[in-house]
Amino acid sequence: LAGAGQSIRYSVNKAGQNKDWNKADLTAKFEEHVGTLSDVIAHIEQGFAVCAGVLKDGYRDSENFVQSEWVIIDIDHGWTIAEALQHQTVAHATLLYTTCSHRPGEEERFRIVFRLPQAITDFELYESLIKVVLNEIPQHDPQCKDGVRIFYGNTGATFPLINDGGTLPGTYIERAKFRLEEKEQQLLNQ
């Protein structure tokens, strides 16, 4: 799965552009795509909404989660792009792009995309993995932590980082599994 030129599965919604959407369309109307990083970039540049998860029947909810091959982190404040690019976790990123709300030199808003070393098909594990990555990046938007989150595209996006070989190390998945096991153990001990 991971590596330069490899295909990636994801969901895209073409029913709107940038932040101009009928909210009902953001729950449905997702289409599965298999493409390269260039295809993902093209969808973002067209302003389409993307979801890291592949969704059964194009409907966005946790019950319809099929799998994910990437994690997307949203940054709305507290960090510049230059600072992000120096961070040890971001060194593993595949892509960094600016959002519609990005204001260079004022309010830098962007997303960091991490390709996974393997597809995750267990929703609880995927959400645990998101939380592991978020813990490494305290500047993240705390609202963007669910496994079927949508991320708006941006027809004016810039891409300060495009690293087709960037992949989150497998140790993050191991940490996510451990986190789930700890949570289960705590529930058993209650």
Side-chain angles (χ1 to χ4, degrees):
L1 171 68
Q6 296 293 313
S7 65
I8 188 167
R9 290 175 67 192
Y10 61 101
S11 296
V12 65
N13 188 321
K14 300 177 182 178
Q17 191 178 56
N18 295 328
K19 288 188 169 184
D20 185 19
W21 291 85
N22 173 337
K23 296 297 180 190
D25 290 340
L26 290 172
T27 302
K29 297 192 178 183
F30 278 87
E31 303 168 9
E32 179 181 341
H33 279 267
V34 178
T36 64
L37 184 59
S38 295
D39 296 320
V40 173
I41 291 169
H43 282 128
I44 292 167
E45 289 178 321
Q46 291 171 43
F48 299 146
V50 296
C51 177
V54 173
L55 306 168
K56 183 173 62 179
D57 300 324
Y59 193 80
R60 188 178 62 87
D61 71 11
S62 60
E63 299 295 315
N64 287 352
F65 175 86
V66 175
Q67 67 143 57
S68 186
E69 299 178 3
W70 54 344
V71 169
I72 304 173
I73 305 299
D74 192 56
I75 307 294
D76 277 347
H77 53 78
W79 226 10
T80 65
I81 291 170
E83 290 168 333
L85 291 171
Q86 298 302 310
H87 192 273
Q88 64 185 7
T89 301
V90 179
H92 304 292
T94 309
L95 187 66
L96 187 150
Y97 68 95
T98 58
T99 69
C100 293
S101 302
H102 176 69
R103 303 288 175 260
E106 297 173 33
E107 296 258 354
E108 295 197 11
R109 296 179 179 200
F110 51 95
R111 300 212 171 91
I112 307 166
V113 179
F114 297 92
R115 185 186 315 254
L116 302 179
Q118 64 193 57
I120 304 293
T121 58
D122 179 283
F123 188 71
E124 285 186 44
L125 176 59
Y126 182 61
E127 285 204 324
S128 180
L129 176 61
I130 291 170
K131 289 179 178 102
V132 167
V133 177
L134 291 176
N135 284 338
E136 296 289 318
I137 302 175
Q139 297 82 354
H140 70 273
D141 179 348
Q143 300 301 314
C144 299
K145 62 181 184 265
D146 62 276
V148 290
R149 170 67 56 175
I150 58 145
F151 296 95
Y152 297 119
N154 177 11
T155 54
T158 60
F159 296 84
L161 173 69
I162 300 174
N163 177 14
D164 201 11
T167 304
L168 198 64
T171 55
Y172 283 77
I173 295 172
E174 294 307 313
R175 288 169 49 197
K177 288 177 182 175
F178 181 74
R179 189 178 180 282
L180 273 182
E181 290 168 4
E182 278 188 324
K183 186 177 172 182
E184 289 172 14
Q185 191 61 43
Q186 287 174 351
L187 290 173
L188 290 173
N189 292 337
Q190 288 182 354

